[in-house]
Amino acid sequence: MFTLIKKELRALFCDPVSLAAISVLNIAPAVILAVYLTLSRTQGSYAGFENVISVMSLLTAVIIPAVASASISKEYKNQTADYLNSLPISRCEIVFSKFISL
């Protein structure tokens, strides 16, 4: 299973969809915090980072399954799913390793 996770991590940085998701997850907290600080400054309230964390956890909960499902469909498109199914691991472990790598 660790070999499959290493393979997925290598493939993660070659896929443009994955790179876009990584970029969004890196840029979004700064944008959300800047907007939140600007809004709180105009309203005169306390600007806490808790709201930014809650929005980012929601964003992460949406992006990771989308990228993992795209990775699984890419396996079938490239016809490498047969190789994965021939390994002595279950399908649940294959999906789990894709989620772990993300």
Short mmCIF file of all heavy atoms in Angstrom, two decimals, residues 2-55:
data_model
loop_
_atom_site.label_atom_id
_atom_site.label_comp_id
_atom_site.label_asym_id
_atom_site.label_seq_id
_atom_site.Cartn_x
_atom_site.Cartn_y
_atom_site.Cartn_z
N PHE A 2 2.01 1.22 0.68
CA PHE A 2 2.89 2.39 0.70
C PHE A 2 3.49 2.66 -0.68
O PHE A 2 3.73 3.81 -1.04
CB PHE A 2 4.00 2.21 1.74
CG PHE A 2 3.47 2.24 3.14
CD1 PHE A 2 3.47 1.11 3.93
CD2 PHE A 2 2.96 3.41 3.66
CE1 PHE A 2 2.98 1.14 5.22
CE2 PHE A 2 2.46 3.47 4.94
CZ PHE A 2 2.47 2.33 5.73
N THR A 3 3.71 1.61 -1.46
CA THR A 3 4.20 1.79 -2.82
C THR A 3 3.17 2.52 -3.67
O THR A 3 3.52 3.39 -4.46
CB THR A 3 4.53 0.42 -3.44
OG1 THR A 3 5.41 -0.28 -2.58
CG2 THR A 3 5.15 0.58 -4.80
N LEU A 4 1.93 2.17 -3.47
CA LEU A 4 0.86 2.84 -4.21
C LEU A 4 0.73 4.30 -3.79
O LEU A 4 0.50 5.17 -4.64
CB LEU A 4 -0.46 2.09 -3.98
CG LEU A 4 -1.63 2.50 -4.85
CD1 LEU A 4 -1.29 2.33 -6.31
CD2 LEU A 4 -2.84 1.67 -4.50
N ILE A 5 0.92 4.59 -2.52
CA ILE A 5 0.87 5.98 -2.05
C ILE A 5 2.02 6.78 -2.66
O ILE A 5 1.84 7.91 -3.10
CB ILE A 5 0.91 6.04 -0.51
CG1 ILE A 5 -0.39 5.47 0.06
CG2 ILE A 5 1.14 7.45 -0.02
CD1 ILE A 5 -0.40 5.32 1.56
N LYS A 6 3.23 6.19 -2.74
CA LYS A 6 4.36 6.87 -3.36
C LYS A 6 4.09 7.15 -4.83
O LYS A 6 4.39 8.23 -5.34
CB LYS A 6 5.63 6.02 -3.23
CG LYS A 6 6.26 6.06 -1.89
CD LYS A 6 7.61 5.39 -1.98
CE LYS A 6 7.82 4.46 -0.84
NZ LYS A 6 9.07 3.72 -0.93
N LYS A 7 3.49 6.17 -5.53
CA LYS A 7 3.15 6.34 -6.94
C LYS A 7 2.15 7.47 -7.12
O LYS A 7 2.27 8.30 -8.02
CB LYS A 7 2.58 5.05 -7.50
CG LYS A 7 2.08 5.15 -8.92
CD LYS A 7 1.20 3.95 -9.25
CE LYS A 7 0.38 4.14 -10.48
NZ LYS A 7 -0.64 5.14 -10.41
N GLU A 8 1.17 7.53 -6.24
CA GLU A 8 0.15 8.58 -6.32
C GLU A 8 0.75 9.95 -6.03
O GLU A 8 0.38 10.94 -6.66
CB GLU A 8 -0.99 8.29 -5.36
CG GLU A 8 -1.88 7.17 -5.81
CD GLU A 8 -2.54 7.46 -7.15
OE1 GLU A 8 -2.97 8.59 -7.39
OE2 GLU A 8 -2.59 6.54 -7.97
N LEU A 9 1.67 10.04 -5.09
CA LEU A 9 2.31 11.32 -4.79
C LEU A 9 3.15 11.80 -5.97
O LEU A 9 3.16 12.99 -6.27
CB LEU A 9 3.17 11.19 -3.54
CG LEU A 9 2.40 11.16 -2.23
CD1 LEU A 9 3.35 10.90 -1.07
CD2 LEU A 9 1.66 12.47 -2.02
N ARG A 10 3.83 10.87 -6.66
CA ARG A 10 4.58 11.26 -7.85
C ARG A 10 3.65 11.73 -8.95
O ARG A 10 3.92 12.72 -9.63
CB ARG A 10 5.44 10.09 -8.34
CG ARG A 10 6.80 10.06 -7.70
CD ARG A 10 7.69 9.02 -8.35
NE ARG A 10 7.90 7.98 -7.34
CZ ARG A 10 7.57 6.71 -7.48
NH1 ARG A 10 7.05 6.27 -8.59
NH2 ARG A 10 7.77 5.85 -6.51
N ALA A 11 2.55 11.03 -9.15
CA ALA A 11 1.61 11.39 -10.21
C ALA A 11 0.84 12.65 -9.87
O ALA A 11 0.37 13.36 -10.77
CB ALA A 11 0.64 10.24 -10.44
N LEU A 12 0.73 12.97 -8.59
CA LEU A 12 -0.03 14.13 -8.15
C LEU A 12 0.56 15.42 -8.72
O LEU A 12 -0.17 16.32 -9.11
CB LEU A 12 -0.04 14.19 -6.62
CG LEU A 12 -0.83 15.30 -5.97
CD1 LEU A 12 -2.31 15.09 -6.23
CD2 LEU A 12 -0.56 15.33 -4.49
N PHE A 13 1.87 15.50 -8.80
CA PHE A 13 2.50 16.73 -9.26
C PHE A 13 2.65 16.79 -10.78
O PHE A 13 3.17 17.76 -11.30
CB PHE A 13 3.85 16.91 -8.57
CG PHE A 13 3.70 17.14 -7.10
CD1 PHE A 13 3.95 16.13 -6.19
CD2 PHE A 13 3.26 18.36 -6.64
CE1 PHE A 13 3.79 16.34 -4.83
CE2 PHE A 13 3.09 18.59 -5.28
CZ PHE A 13 3.36 17.58 -4.39
N CYS A 14 2.18 15.76 -11.48
CA CYS A 14 2.19 15.77 -12.94
C CYS A 14 0.80 16.05 -13.52
O CYS A 14 0.68 16.29 -14.71
CB CYS A 14 2.70 14.43 -13.47
SG CYS A 14 4.39 14.08 -13.04
N ASP A 15 -0.22 16.02 -12.70
CA ASP A 15 -1.60 16.20 -13.14
C ASP A 15 -1.99 17.66 -13.00
O ASP A 15 -1.90 18.23 -11.91
CB ASP A 15 -2.52 15.31 -12.30
CG ASP A 15 -3.94 15.31 -12.79
OD1 ASP A 15 -4.16 15.61 -13.98
OD2 ASP A 15 -4.84 14.98 -11.99
N PRO A 16 -2.45 18.31 -14.07
CA PRO A 16 -2.81 19.72 -13.97
C PRO A 16 -4.00 19.99 -13.04
O PRO A 16 -4.05 21.02 -12.38
CB PRO A 16 -3.16 20.13 -15.40
CG PRO A 16 -3.02 18.94 -16.25
CD PRO A 16 -2.53 17.81 -15.42
N VAL A 17 -4.93 19.06 -12.95
CA VAL A 17 -6.08 19.23 -12.04
C VAL A 17 -5.59 19.23 -10.59
O VAL A 17 -6.02 20.04 -9.78
CB VAL A 17 -7.13 18.12 -12.28
CG1 VAL A 17 -8.24 18.20 -11.25
CG2 VAL A 17 -7.68 18.21 -13.69
N SER A 18 -4.68 18.33 -10.28
CA SER A 18 -4.13 18.27 -8.92
C SER A 18 -3.32 19.52 -8.60
O SER A 18 -3.41 20.04 -7.48
CB SER A 18 -3.25 17.04 -8.77
OG SER A 18 -3.98 15.88 -9.03
N LEU A 19 -2.55 20.00 -9.55
CA LEU A 19 -1.78 21.22 -9.31
C LEU A 19 -2.71 22.41 -9.11
O LEU A 19 -2.43 23.29 -8.28
CB LEU A 19 -0.82 21.47 -10.47
CG LEU A 19 0.37 20.52 -10.55
CD1 LEU A 19 1.19 20.82 -11.80
CD2 LEU A 19 1.23 20.63 -9.32
N ALA A 20 -3.82 22.45 -9.83
CA ALA A 20 -4.79 23.54 -9.63
C ALA A 20 -5.41 23.45 -8.25
O ALA A 20 -5.59 24.47 -7.57
CB ALA A 20 -5.87 23.47 -10.71
N ALA A 21 -5.72 22.23 -7.79
CA ALA A 21 -6.30 22.06 -6.46
C ALA A 21 -5.30 22.46 -5.38
O ALA A 21 -5.67 23.12 -4.40
CB ALA A 21 -6.74 20.61 -6.26
N ILE A 22 -4.05 22.10 -5.56
CA ILE A 22 -3.02 22.48 -4.59
C ILE A 22 -2.87 24.00 -4.56
O ILE A 22 -2.74 24.61 -3.49
CB ILE A 22 -1.68 21.79 -4.93
CG1 ILE A 22 -1.77 20.29 -4.67
CG2 ILE A 22 -0.52 22.39 -4.14
CD1 ILE A 22 -0.61 19.50 -5.21
N SER A 23 -2.91 24.62 -5.73
CA SER A 23 -2.81 26.08 -5.79
C SER A 23 -3.97 26.75 -5.08
O SER A 23 -3.78 27.73 -4.35
CB SER A 23 -2.76 26.54 -7.25
OG SER A 23 -1.65 25.99 -7.89
N VAL A 24 -5.18 26.23 -5.30
CA VAL A 24 -6.35 26.80 -4.64
C VAL A 24 -6.23 26.67 -3.13
O VAL A 24 -6.52 27.60 -2.38
CB VAL A 24 -7.65 26.13 -5.15
CG1 VAL A 24 -8.83 26.44 -4.27
CG2 VAL A 24 -7.93 26.57 -6.58
N LEU A 25 -5.79 25.50 -2.67
CA LEU A 25 -5.66 25.29 -1.23
C LEU A 25 -4.55 26.13 -0.62
O LEU A 25 -4.55 26.39 0.58
CB LEU A 25 -5.43 23.81 -0.93
CG LEU A 25 -6.64 22.91 -1.13
CD1 LEU A 25 -6.27 21.45 -0.90
CD2 LEU A 25 -7.76 23.31 -0.20
N ASN A 26 -3.59 26.57 -1.42
CA ASN A 26 -2.53 27.43 -0.90
C ASN A 26 -2.89 28.91 -0.97
O ASN A 26 -2.48 29.68 -0.10
CB ASN A 26 -1.23 27.19 -1.67
CG ASN A 26 -0.55 25.92 -1.23
OD1 ASN A 26 -0.59 25.57 -0.07
ND2 ASN A 26 0.07 25.23 -2.17
N ILE A 27 -3.63 29.30 -1.98
CA ILE A 27 -3.96 30.71 -2.17
C ILE A 27 -5.23 31.11 -1.43
O ILE A 27 -5.34 32.23 -0.92
CB ILE A 27 -4.07 31.03 -3.68
CG1 ILE A 27 -2.71 30.85 -4.34
CG2 ILE A 27 -4.61 32.43 -3.92
CD1 ILE A 27 -2.75 30.93 -5.84
N ALA A 28 -6.19 30.22 -1.34
CA ALA A 28 -7.50 30.54 -0.76
C ALA A 28 -7.44 31.06 0.67
O ALA A 28 -8.16 32.01 0.99
CB ALA A 28 -8.42 29.34 -0.87
N PRO A 29 -6.63 30.49 1.58
CA PRO A 29 -6.62 31.04 2.94
C PRO A 29 -6.20 32.51 2.99
O PRO A 29 -6.78 33.29 3.74
CB PRO A 29 -5.62 30.17 3.69
CG PRO A 29 -5.51 28.94 2.92
CD PRO A 29 -5.79 29.30 1.51
N ALA A 30 -5.23 32.90 2.17
CA ALA A 30 -4.79 34.29 2.17
C ALA A 30 -5.89 35.20 1.64
O ALA A 30 -6.14 36.28 2.20
CB ALA A 30 -3.54 34.43 1.32
N VAL A 31 -6.58 34.78 0.59
CA VAL A 31 -7.65 35.60 0.03
C VAL A 31 -8.81 35.70 1.02
O VAL A 31 -9.35 36.80 1.25
CB VAL A 31 -8.12 35.01 -1.32
CG1 VAL A 31 -9.37 35.71 -1.82
CG2 VAL A 31 -7.00 35.08 -2.34
N ILE A 32 -9.20 34.59 1.60
CA ILE A 32 -10.31 34.59 2.54
C ILE A 32 -9.97 35.43 3.77
O ILE A 32 -10.80 36.20 4.26
CB ILE A 32 -10.70 33.15 2.93
CG1 ILE A 32 -11.29 32.43 1.73
CG2 ILE A 32 -11.68 33.12 4.09
CD1 ILE A 32 -11.47 30.94 1.91
N LEU A 33 -8.75 35.32 4.27
CA LEU A 33 -8.35 36.11 5.43
C LEU A 33 -8.32 37.60 5.09
O LEU A 33 -8.75 38.43 5.89
CB LEU A 33 -6.98 35.65 5.94
CG LEU A 33 -6.47 36.37 7.18
CD1 LEU A 33 -7.42 36.14 8.36
CD2 LEU A 33 -5.08 35.91 7.52
N ALA A 34 -7.83 37.96 3.90
CA ALA A 34 -7.81 39.37 3.50
C ALA A 34 -9.22 39.94 3.41
O ALA A 34 -9.47 41.05 3.89
CB ALA A 34 -7.08 39.52 2.17
N VAL A 35 -10.13 39.18 2.82
CA VAL A 35 -11.53 39.64 2.73
C VAL A 35 -12.14 39.75 4.11
O VAL A 35 -12.82 40.74 4.44
CB VAL A 35 -12.35 38.70 1.82
CG1 VAL A 35 -13.83 38.98 1.93
CG2 VAL A 35 -11.88 38.81 0.39
N TYR A 36 -11.89 38.77 4.95
CA TYR A 36 -12.45 38.77 6.29
C TYR A 36 -11.92 39.93 7.12
O TYR A 36 -12.66 40.60 7.83
CB TYR A 36 -12.16 37.43 6.97
CG TYR A 36 -12.80 37.30 8.32
CD1 TYR A 36 -14.18 37.12 8.43
CD2 TYR A 36 -12.05 37.36 9.48
CE1 TYR A 36 -14.78 37.01 9.66
CE2 TYR A 36 -12.64 37.24 10.71
CZ TYR A 36 -14.00 37.07 10.80
OH TYR A 36 -14.59 36.96 12.02
N LEU A 37 -10.63 40.20 7.01
CA LEU A 37 -10.04 41.33 7.76
C LEU A 37 -10.58 42.67 7.25
O LEU A 37 -10.82 43.58 8.04
CB LEU A 37 -8.51 41.30 7.66
CG LEU A 37 -7.81 40.20 8.44
CD1 LEU A 37 -6.32 40.21 8.14
CD2 LEU A 37 -8.07 40.33 9.92
N THR A 38 -10.76 42.77 5.95
CA THR A 38 -11.32 44.01 5.39
C THR A 38 -12.75 44.22 5.85
O THR A 38 -13.12 45.34 6.25
CB THR A 38 -11.26 43.96 3.85
OG1 THR A 38 -9.91 43.73 3.44
CG2 THR A 38 -11.77 45.25 3.24
N LEU A 39 -13.55 43.18 5.82
CA LEU A 39 -14.94 43.31 6.26
C LEU A 39 -15.02 43.60 7.76
O LEU A 39 -15.85 44.40 8.19
CB LEU A 39 -15.72 42.04 5.93
CG LEU A 39 -16.02 41.81 4.46
CD1 LEU A 39 -16.71 40.47 4.26
CD2 LEU A 39 -16.86 42.93 3.89
N SER A 40 -14.18 42.96 8.55
CA SER A 40 -14.24 43.19 9.99
C SER A 40 -13.74 44.58 10.35
O SER A 40 -14.19 45.17 11.32
CB SER A 40 -13.45 42.12 10.72
OG SER A 40 -12.07 42.24 10.42
N ARG A 41 -12.81 45.12 9.57
CA ARG A 41 -12.31 46.46 9.83
C ARG A 41 -13.40 47.50 9.56
O ARG A 41 -13.54 48.47 10.28
CB ARG A 41 -11.09 46.75 8.96
CG ARG A 41 -10.39 48.03 9.35
CD ARG A 41 -9.14 48.31 8.54
NE ARG A 41 -8.39 47.12 8.21
CZ ARG A 41 -7.81 46.91 7.03
NH1 ARG A 41 -7.90 47.81 6.08
NH2 ARG A 41 -7.14 45.82 6.80
N THR A 42 -14.19 47.27 8.50
CA THR A 42 -15.25 48.23 8.19
C THR A 42 -16.41 48.13 9.17
O THR A 42 -17.10 49.10 9.42
CB THR A 42 -15.78 48.01 6.76
OG1 THR A 42 -16.29 46.69 6.64
CG2 THR A 42 -14.69 48.25 5.74
N GLN A 43 -16.61 46.95 9.76
CA GLN A 43 -17.71 46.78 10.70
C GLN A 43 -17.28 47.00 12.14
O GLN A 43 -18.10 47.02 13.04
CB GLN A 43 -18.32 45.38 10.56
CG GLN A 43 -18.95 45.15 9.21
CD GLN A 43 -19.38 43.71 9.01
OE1 GLN A 43 -19.14 42.86 9.87
NE2 GLN A 43 -20.02 43.43 7.89
N GLY A 44 -15.98 47.12 12.38
CA GLY A 44 -15.48 47.38 13.72
C GLY A 44 -15.54 46.19 14.64
O GLY A 44 -15.56 46.32 15.85
N SER A 45 -15.54 44.98 14.11
CA SER A 45 -15.60 43.79 14.95
C SER A 45 -14.23 43.12 15.01
O SER A 45 -13.30 43.51 14.31
CB SER A 45 -16.64 42.80 14.41
OG SER A 45 -16.26 42.35 13.13
N TYR A 46 -14.14 42.10 15.85
CA TYR A 46 -12.90 41.36 16.03
C TYR A 46 -12.69 40.42 14.86
O TYR A 46 -13.59 39.69 14.46
CB TYR A 46 -12.94 40.58 17.34
CG TYR A 46 -11.78 39.64 17.52
CD1 TYR A 46 -10.51 40.12 17.79
CD2 TYR A 46 -11.96 38.28 17.40
CE1 TYR A 46 -9.45 39.26 17.96
CE2 TYR A 46 -10.90 37.40 17.57
CZ TYR A 46 -9.65 37.90 17.83
OH TYR A 46 -8.60 37.05 17.98
N ALA A 47 -11.50 40.42 14.28
CA ALA A 47 -11.18 39.54 13.17
C ALA A 47 -10.45 38.31 13.70
O ALA A 47 -9.31 38.39 14.11
CB ALA A 47 -10.30 40.27 12.15
N GLY A 48 -11.13 37.20 13.73
CA GLY A 48 -10.52 35.96 14.19
C GLY A 48 -10.21 35.04 13.02
O GLY A 48 -10.81 35.14 11.96
N PHE A 49 -9.28 34.16 13.24
CA PHE A 49 -8.87 33.23 12.20
C PHE A 49 -9.75 31.98 12.18
O PHE A 49 -9.64 31.16 11.30
CB PHE A 49 -7.40 32.85 12.41
CG PHE A 49 -6.76 32.25 11.21
CD1 PHE A 49 -6.60 32.98 10.05
CD2 PHE A 49 -6.32 30.94 11.24
CE1 PHE A 49 -6.01 32.43 8.94
CE2 PHE A 49 -5.72 30.37 10.12
CZ PHE A 49 -5.57 31.12 8.97
N GLU A 50 -10.65 31.84 13.16
CA GLU A 50 -11.48 30.64 13.26
C GLU A 50 -12.41 30.49 12.05
O GLU A 50 -12.63 29.39 11.56
CB GLU A 50 -12.33 30.66 14.54
CG GLU A 50 -11.52 30.68 15.81
CD GLU A 50 -11.13 32.09 16.23
OE1 GLU A 50 -11.75 33.06 15.74
OE2 GLU A 50 -10.19 32.20 17.02
N ASN A 51 -12.94 31.60 11.56
CA ASN A 51 -13.83 31.55 10.41
C ASN A 51 -13.09 31.14 9.14
O ASN A 51 -13.62 30.42 8.30
CB ASN A 51 -14.54 32.88 10.20
CG ASN A 51 -15.48 33.19 11.32
OD1 ASN A 51 -15.97 32.30 12.01
ND2 ASN A 51 -15.73 34.47 11.53
N VAL A 52 -11.85 31.59 9.02
CA VAL A 52 -11.04 31.21 7.86
C VAL A 52 -10.76 29.71 7.89
O VAL A 52 -10.86 29.03 6.87
CB VAL A 52 -9.73 32.02 7.83
CG1 VAL A 52 -8.84 31.57 6.69
CG2 VAL A 52 -10.03 33.50 7.72
N ILE A 53 -10.46 29.18 9.06
CA ILE A 53 -10.21 27.74 9.19
C ILE A 53 -11.46 26.95 8.85
O ILE A 53 -11.39 25.92 8.17
CB ILE A 53 -9.72 27.41 10.62
CG1 ILE A 53 -8.40 28.09 10.91
CG2 ILE A 53 -9.62 25.91 10.84
CD1 ILE A 53 -7.25 27.62 10.04
N SER A 54 -12.62 27.41 9.28
CA SER A 54 -13.85 26.67 8.98
C SER A 54 -14.16 26.68 7.49
O SER A 54 -14.59 25.67 6.93
CB SER A 54 -15.02 27.22 9.78
OG SER A 54 -15.31 28.54 9.39
N VAL A 55 -13.92 27.80 6.82
CA VAL A 55 -14.15 27.86 5.37
C VAL A 55 -13.15 26.97 4.64
O VAL A 55 -13.50 26.26 3.69
CB VAL A 55 -14.06 29.32 4.87
CG1 VAL A 55 -14.01 29.39 3.36
CG2 VAL A 55 -15.22 30.13 5.40
#
